Amino acid sequence: MSTCLRLAAIYNILWGAWVVIWPHTFFEWTGMAPLQHPTIWQGTGMIVGVYGLGYWWASYNPLKHWPIVAVGFLGKIFGPLGFLFNYLVLKEVPFEFSYTLYTNDLIWWVPFFLILQRVHTETQWQLR
């Protein structure tokens, strides 16, 4: 659990810094339209980076700091759902934007789920 959370922390901090420092790069790489308001994307990078700090701190005692993992897991579920809604229903987002979901969200579903499953089994969601 601790190793997984530390890997997630490092990834999130690096990805967040990348987006804050070079906000146009992802859009250039994917051939998407240039950003009109890069500060919104940079704000997303800042949030992702801050999650990384939370994951690092939670790694010291995942069973105690499970709410951080739970909030992260919810974000990793709702992010892809938001993309699907905007892509399939509203048709406001290009498919290329889904590339952010693979490393930011989808690869973390199983490990975060397993951490939360262990929290349920061992602590019954106690805040201690």
PDB file of all heavy atoms in Angstrom, residues 48-70:
ATOM      1  N   VAL A  48      -3.767  18.274  -9.150  1.00  0.00           N
ATOM      2  CA  VAL A  48      -3.183  16.938  -9.255  1.00  0.00           C
ATOM      3  C   VAL A  48      -1.906  16.847  -8.420  1.00  0.00           C
ATOM      4  O   VAL A  48      -1.678  15.864  -7.724  1.00  0.00           O
ATOM      5  CB  VAL A  48      -2.929  16.567 -10.738  1.00  0.00           C
ATOM      6  CG1 VAL A  48      -2.108  15.300 -10.857  1.00  0.00           C
ATOM      7  CG2 VAL A  48      -4.255  16.423 -11.473  1.00  0.00           C
ATOM      8  N   GLY A  49      -1.082  17.884  -8.470  1.00  0.00           N
ATOM      9  CA  GLY A  49       0.140  17.907  -7.670  1.00  0.00           C
ATOM     10  C   GLY A  49      -0.138  17.869  -6.178  1.00  0.00           C
ATOM     11  O   GLY A  49       0.541  17.169  -5.422  1.00  0.00           O
ATOM     12  N   VAL A  50      -1.158  18.588  -5.759  1.00  0.00           N
ATOM     13  CA  VAL A  50      -1.520  18.595  -4.337  1.00  0.00           C
ATOM     14  C   VAL A  50      -2.036  17.219  -3.906  1.00  0.00           C
ATOM     15  O   VAL A  50      -1.738  16.759  -2.802  1.00  0.00           O
ATOM     16  CB  VAL A  50      -2.541  19.715  -4.037  1.00  0.00           C
ATOM     17  CG1 VAL A  50      -3.133  19.581  -2.649  1.00  0.00           C
ATOM     18  CG2 VAL A  50      -1.868  21.079  -4.194  1.00  0.00           C
ATOM     19  N   TYR A  51      -2.785  16.551  -4.776  1.00  0.00           N
ATOM     20  CA  TYR A  51      -3.173  15.167  -4.484  1.00  0.00           C
ATOM     21  C   TYR A  51      -1.928  14.324  -4.239  1.00  0.00           C
ATOM     22  O   TYR A  51      -1.919  13.450  -3.372  1.00  0.00           O
ATOM     23  CB  TYR A  51      -3.956  14.560  -5.655  1.00  0.00           C
ATOM     24  CG  TYR A  51      -5.451  14.724  -5.580  1.00  0.00           C
ATOM     25  CD1 TYR A  51      -6.096  15.739  -6.282  1.00  0.00           C
ATOM     26  CD2 TYR A  51      -6.230  13.852  -4.840  1.00  0.00           C
ATOM     27  CE1 TYR A  51      -7.464  15.885  -6.243  1.00  0.00           C
ATOM     28  CE2 TYR A  51      -7.613  13.988  -4.795  1.00  0.00           C
ATOM     29  CZ  TYR A  51      -8.216  15.001  -5.493  1.00  0.00           C
ATOM     30  OH  TYR A  51      -9.576  15.141  -5.453  1.00  0.00           O
ATOM     31  N   GLY A  52      -0.889  14.569  -5.030  1.00  0.00           N
ATOM     32  CA  GLY A  52       0.362  13.830  -4.853  1.00  0.00           C
ATOM     33  C   GLY A  52       0.922  13.987  -3.456  1.00  0.00           C
ATOM     34  O   GLY A  52       1.387  13.015  -2.844  1.00  0.00           O
ATOM     35  N   LEU A  53       0.885  15.200  -2.933  1.00  0.00           N
ATOM     36  CA  LEU A  53       1.349  15.408  -1.554  1.00  0.00           C
ATOM     37  C   LEU A  53       0.496  14.598  -0.581  1.00  0.00           C
ATOM     38  O   LEU A  53       1.019  13.963   0.343  1.00  0.00           O
ATOM     39  CB  LEU A  53       1.301  16.892  -1.196  1.00  0.00           C
ATOM     40  CG  LEU A  53       2.244  17.808  -1.966  1.00  0.00           C
ATOM     41  CD1 LEU A  53       1.977  19.266  -1.610  1.00  0.00           C
ATOM     42  CD2 LEU A  53       3.688  17.438  -1.709  1.00  0.00           C
ATOM     43  N   GLY A  54      -0.812  14.617  -0.799  1.00  0.00           N
ATOM     44  CA  GLY A  54      -1.703  13.834   0.067  1.00  0.00           C
ATOM     45  C   GLY A  54      -1.403  12.351   0.024  1.00  0.00           C
ATOM     46  O   GLY A  54      -1.374  11.685   1.052  1.00  0.00           O
ATOM     47  N   TYR A  55      -1.149  11.826  -1.183  1.00  0.00           N
ATOM     48  CA  TYR A  55      -0.831  10.405  -1.306  1.00  0.00           C
ATOM     49  C   TYR A  55       0.472  10.076  -0.572  1.00  0.00           C
ATOM     50  O   TYR A  55       0.589   9.027   0.047  1.00  0.00           O
ATOM     51  CB  TYR A  55      -0.703   9.978  -2.768  1.00  0.00           C
ATOM     52  CG  TYR A  55      -1.966  10.136  -3.580  1.00  0.00           C
ATOM     53  CD1 TYR A  55      -1.892  10.370  -4.947  1.00  0.00           C
ATOM     54  CD2 TYR A  55      -3.229  10.061  -2.998  1.00  0.00           C
ATOM     55  CE1 TYR A  55      -3.039  10.515  -5.711  1.00  0.00           C
ATOM     56  CE2 TYR A  55      -4.373  10.214  -3.749  1.00  0.00           C
ATOM     57  CZ  TYR A  55      -4.279  10.439  -5.110  1.00  0.00           C
ATOM     58  OH  TYR A  55      -5.407  10.580  -5.859  1.00  0.00           O
ATOM     59  N   TRP A  56       1.438  10.985  -0.672  1.00  0.00           N
ATOM     60  CA  TRP A  56       2.715  10.747   0.019  1.00  0.00           C
ATOM     61  C   TRP A  56       2.494  10.672   1.530  1.00  0.00           C
ATOM     62  O   TRP A  56       2.983   9.765   2.200  1.00  0.00           O
ATOM     63  CB  TRP A  56       3.734  11.834  -0.329  1.00  0.00           C
ATOM     64  CG  TRP A  56       5.092  11.488   0.189  1.00  0.00           C
ATOM     65  CD1 TRP A  56       5.639  11.841   1.396  1.00  0.00           C
ATOM     66  CD2 TRP A  56       6.072  10.676  -0.457  1.00  0.00           C
ATOM     67  NE1 TRP A  56       6.884  11.311   1.524  1.00  0.00           N
ATOM     68  CE2 TRP A  56       7.182  10.583   0.403  1.00  0.00           C
ATOM     69  CE3 TRP A  56       6.111  10.017  -1.685  1.00  0.00           C
ATOM     70  CZ2 TRP A  56       8.319   9.870   0.067  1.00  0.00           C
ATOM     71  CZ3 TRP A  56       7.242   9.312  -2.025  1.00  0.00           C
ATOM     72  CH2 TRP A  56       8.342   9.240  -1.147  1.00  0.00           C
ATOM     73  N   TRP A  57       1.747  11.620   2.063  1.00  0.00           N
ATOM     74  CA  TRP A  57       1.485  11.615   3.495  1.00  0.00           C
ATOM     75  C   TRP A  57       0.668  10.398   3.908  1.00  0.00           C
ATOM     76  O   TRP A  57       0.919   9.800   4.958  1.00  0.00           O
ATOM     77  CB  TRP A  57       0.795  12.907   3.918  1.00  0.00           C
ATOM     78  CG  TRP A  57       1.672  14.116   3.737  1.00  0.00           C
ATOM     79  CD1 TRP A  57       3.024  14.178   3.907  1.00  0.00           C
ATOM     80  CD2 TRP A  57       1.267  15.410   3.319  1.00  0.00           C
ATOM     81  NE1 TRP A  57       3.486  15.442   3.625  1.00  0.00           N
ATOM     82  CE2 TRP A  57       2.434  16.227   3.262  1.00  0.00           C
ATOM     83  CE3 TRP A  57       0.051  15.984   2.978  1.00  0.00           C
ATOM     84  CZ2 TRP A  57       2.397  17.565   2.891  1.00  0.00           C
ATOM     85  CZ3 TRP A  57       0.023  17.319   2.607  1.00  0.00           C
ATOM     86  CH2 TRP A  57       1.178  18.090   2.575  1.00  0.00           C
ATOM     87  N   ALA A  58      -0.310  10.017   3.085  1.00  0.00           N
ATOM     88  CA  ALA A  58      -1.126   8.838   3.402  1.00  0.00           C
ATOM     89  C   ALA A  58      -0.297   7.563   3.366  1.00  0.00           C
ATOM     90  O   ALA A  58      -0.617   6.594   4.055  1.00  0.00           O
ATOM     91  CB  ALA A  58      -2.290   8.732   2.420  1.00  0.00           C
ATOM     92  N   SER A  59       0.785   7.556   2.598  1.00  0.00           N
ATOM     93  CA  SER A  59       1.605   6.345   2.471  1.00  0.00           C
ATOM     94  C   SER A  59       2.239   5.927   3.792  1.00  0.00           C
ATOM     95  O   SER A  59       2.600   4.771   3.964  1.00  0.00           O
ATOM     96  CB  SER A  59       2.693   6.545   1.407  1.00  0.00           C
ATOM     97  OG  SER A  59       3.753   7.357   1.890  1.00  0.00           O
ATOM     98  N   TYR A  60       2.359   6.839   4.732  1.00  0.00           N
ATOM     99  CA  TYR A  60       2.963   6.500   6.018  1.00  0.00           C
ATOM    100  C   TYR A  60       2.058   5.617   6.867  1.00  0.00           C
ATOM    101  O   TYR A  60       2.537   4.851   7.695  1.00  0.00           O
ATOM    102  CB  TYR A  60       3.353   7.759   6.792  1.00  0.00           C
ATOM    103  CG  TYR A  60       4.544   8.451   6.181  1.00  0.00           C
ATOM    104  CD1 TYR A  60       4.371   9.537   5.336  1.00  0.00           C
ATOM    105  CD2 TYR A  60       5.831   7.982   6.412  1.00  0.00           C
ATOM    106  CE1 TYR A  60       5.473  10.159   4.748  1.00  0.00           C
ATOM    107  CE2 TYR A  60       6.928   8.589   5.834  1.00  0.00           C
ATOM    108  CZ  TYR A  60       6.747   9.681   4.998  1.00  0.00           C
ATOM    109  OH  TYR A  60       7.822  10.282   4.416  1.00  0.00           O
ATOM    110  N   ASN A  61       0.756   5.729   6.649  1.00  0.00           N
ATOM    111  CA  ASN A  61      -0.190   4.872   7.366  1.00  0.00           C
ATOM    112  C   ASN A  61      -1.514   4.866   6.588  1.00  0.00           C
ATOM    113  O   ASN A  61      -2.453   5.564   6.951  1.00  0.00           O
ATOM    114  CB  ASN A  61      -0.395   5.370   8.797  1.00  0.00           C
ATOM    115  CG  ASN A  61      -1.192   4.393   9.639  1.00  0.00           C
ATOM    116  OD1 ASN A  61      -1.893   3.529   9.119  1.00  0.00           O
ATOM    117  ND2 ASN A  61      -1.106   4.531  10.945  1.00  0.00           N
ATOM    118  N   PRO A  62      -1.576   4.085   5.508  1.00  0.00           N
ATOM    119  CA  PRO A  62      -2.764   4.096   4.651  1.00  0.00           C
ATOM    120  C   PRO A  62      -4.062   3.726   5.363  1.00  0.00           C
ATOM    121  O   PRO A  62      -5.125   4.246   5.014  1.00  0.00           O
ATOM    122  CB  PRO A  62      -2.437   3.066   3.568  1.00  0.00           C
ATOM    123  CG  PRO A  62      -0.958   2.981   3.551  1.00  0.00           C
ATOM    124  CD  PRO A  62      -0.517   3.225   4.965  1.00  0.00           C
ATOM    125  N   LEU A  63      -3.988   2.862   6.357  1.00  0.00           N
ATOM    126  CA  LEU A  63      -5.210   2.477   7.060  1.00  0.00           C
ATOM    127  C   LEU A  63      -5.749   3.617   7.919  1.00  0.00           C
ATOM    128  O   LEU A  63      -6.960   3.714   8.130  1.00  0.00           O
ATOM    129  CB  LEU A  63      -4.967   1.229   7.908  1.00  0.00           C
ATOM    130  CG  LEU A  63      -4.603  -0.039   7.134  1.00  0.00           C
ATOM    131  CD1 LEU A  63      -4.371  -1.197   8.090  1.00  0.00           C
ATOM    132  CD2 LEU A  63      -5.656  -0.376   6.097  1.00  0.00           C
ATOM    133  N   LYS A  64      -4.884   4.456   8.389  1.00  0.00           N
ATOM    134  CA  LYS A  64      -5.306   5.613   9.182  1.00  0.00           C
ATOM    135  C   LYS A  64      -5.739   6.758   8.283  1.00  0.00           C
ATOM    136  O   LYS A  64      -6.715   7.453   8.574  1.00  0.00           O
ATOM    137  CB  LYS A  64      -4.165   6.068  10.094  1.00  0.00           C
ATOM    138  CG  LYS A  64      -4.507   7.287  10.924  1.00  0.00           C
ATOM    139  CD  LYS A  64      -3.361   7.695  11.815  1.00  0.00           C
ATOM    140  CE  LYS A  64      -3.723   8.922  12.642  1.00  0.00           C
ATOM    141  NZ  LYS A  64      -2.604   9.355  13.477  1.00  0.00           N
ATOM    142  N   HIS A  65      -5.021   6.969   7.207  1.00  0.00           N
ATOM    143  CA  HIS A  65      -5.277   8.125   6.333  1.00  0.00           C
ATOM    144  C   HIS A  65      -6.071   7.729   5.091  1.00  0.00           C
ATOM    145  O   HIS A  65      -5.924   8.331   4.031  1.00  0.00           O
ATOM    146  CB  HIS A  65      -3.948   8.777   5.942  1.00  0.00           C
ATOM    147  CG  HIS A  65      -3.154   9.234   7.118  1.00  0.00           C
ATOM    148  ND1 HIS A  65      -3.574  10.237   7.969  1.00  0.00           N
ATOM    149  CD2 HIS A  65      -1.975   8.802   7.616  1.00  0.00           C
ATOM    150  CE1 HIS A  65      -2.685  10.416   8.914  1.00  0.00           C
ATOM    151  NE2 HIS A  65      -1.699   9.558   8.726  1.00  0.00           N
ATOM    152  N   TRP A  66      -6.929   6.750   5.237  1.00  0.00           N
ATOM    153  CA  TRP A  66      -7.718   6.261   4.111  1.00  0.00           C
ATOM    154  C   TRP A  66      -8.606   7.317   3.470  1.00  0.00           C
ATOM    155  O   TRP A  66      -8.888   7.210   2.270  1.00  0.00           O
ATOM    156  CB  TRP A  66      -8.539   5.031   4.506  1.00  0.00           C
ATOM    157  CG  TRP A  66      -9.613   5.292   5.513  1.00  0.00           C
ATOM    158  CD1 TRP A  66      -9.533   5.108   6.861  1.00  0.00           C
ATOM    159  CD2 TRP A  66     -10.926   5.769   5.255  1.00  0.00           C
ATOM    160  NE1 TRP A  66     -10.712   5.452   7.464  1.00  0.00           N
ATOM    161  CE2 TRP A  66     -11.586   5.862   6.484  1.00  0.00           C
ATOM    162  CE3 TRP A  66     -11.621   6.140   4.104  1.00  0.00           C
ATOM    163  CZ2 TRP A  66     -12.901   6.312   6.606  1.00  0.00           C
ATOM    164  CZ3 TRP A  66     -12.925   6.585   4.213  1.00  0.00           C
ATOM    165  CH2 TRP A  66     -13.558   6.660   5.456  1.00  0.00           C
ATOM    166  N   PRO A  67      -9.098   8.348   4.200  1.00  0.00           N
ATOM    167  CA  PRO A  67      -9.929   9.334   3.497  1.00  0.00           C
ATOM    168  C   PRO A  67      -9.202  10.014   2.329  1.00  0.00           C
ATOM    169  O   PRO A  67      -9.833  10.358   1.322  1.00  0.00           O
ATOM    170  CB  PRO A  67     -10.307  10.339   4.590  1.00  0.00           C
ATOM    171  CG  PRO A  67     -10.316   9.516   5.842  1.00  0.00           C
ATOM    172  CD  PRO A  67      -9.139   8.593   5.672  1.00  0.00           C
ATOM    173  N   ILE A  68      -7.891  10.189   2.440  1.00  0.00           N
ATOM    174  CA  ILE A  68      -7.138  10.770   1.326  1.00  0.00           C
ATOM    175  C   ILE A  68      -7.195   9.835   0.130  1.00  0.00           C
ATOM    176  O   ILE A  68      -7.396  10.267  -1.016  1.00  0.00           O
ATOM    177  CB  ILE A  68      -5.680  11.054   1.749  1.00  0.00           C
ATOM    178  CG1 ILE A  68      -5.650  12.137   2.826  1.00  0.00           C
ATOM    179  CG2 ILE A  68      -4.829  11.438   0.541  1.00  0.00           C
ATOM    180  CD1 ILE A  68      -4.300  12.322   3.490  1.00  0.00           C
ATOM    181  N   VAL A  69      -7.034   8.548   0.377  1.00  0.00           N
ATOM    182  CA  VAL A  69      -7.098   7.552  -0.701  1.00  0.00           C
ATOM    183  C   VAL A  69      -8.508   7.520  -1.280  1.00  0.00           C
ATOM    184  O   VAL A  69      -8.685   7.444  -2.503  1.00  0.00           O
ATOM    185  CB  VAL A  69      -6.673   6.157  -0.189  1.00  0.00           C
ATOM    186  CG1 VAL A  69      -6.752   5.120  -1.297  1.00  0.00           C
ATOM    187  CG2 VAL A  69      -5.281   6.204   0.423  1.00  0.00           C
ATOM    188  N   ALA A  70      -9.518   7.604  -0.431  1.00  0.00           N
ATOM    189  CA  ALA A  70     -10.905   7.563  -0.893  1.00  0.00           C
ATOM    190  C   ALA A  70     -11.224   8.771  -1.781  1.00  0.00           C
ATOM    191  O   ALA A  70     -11.858   8.622  -2.829  1.00  0.00           O
ATOM    192  CB  ALA A  70     -11.859   7.497   0.299  1.00  0.00           C
TER     193      ALA A  70
END
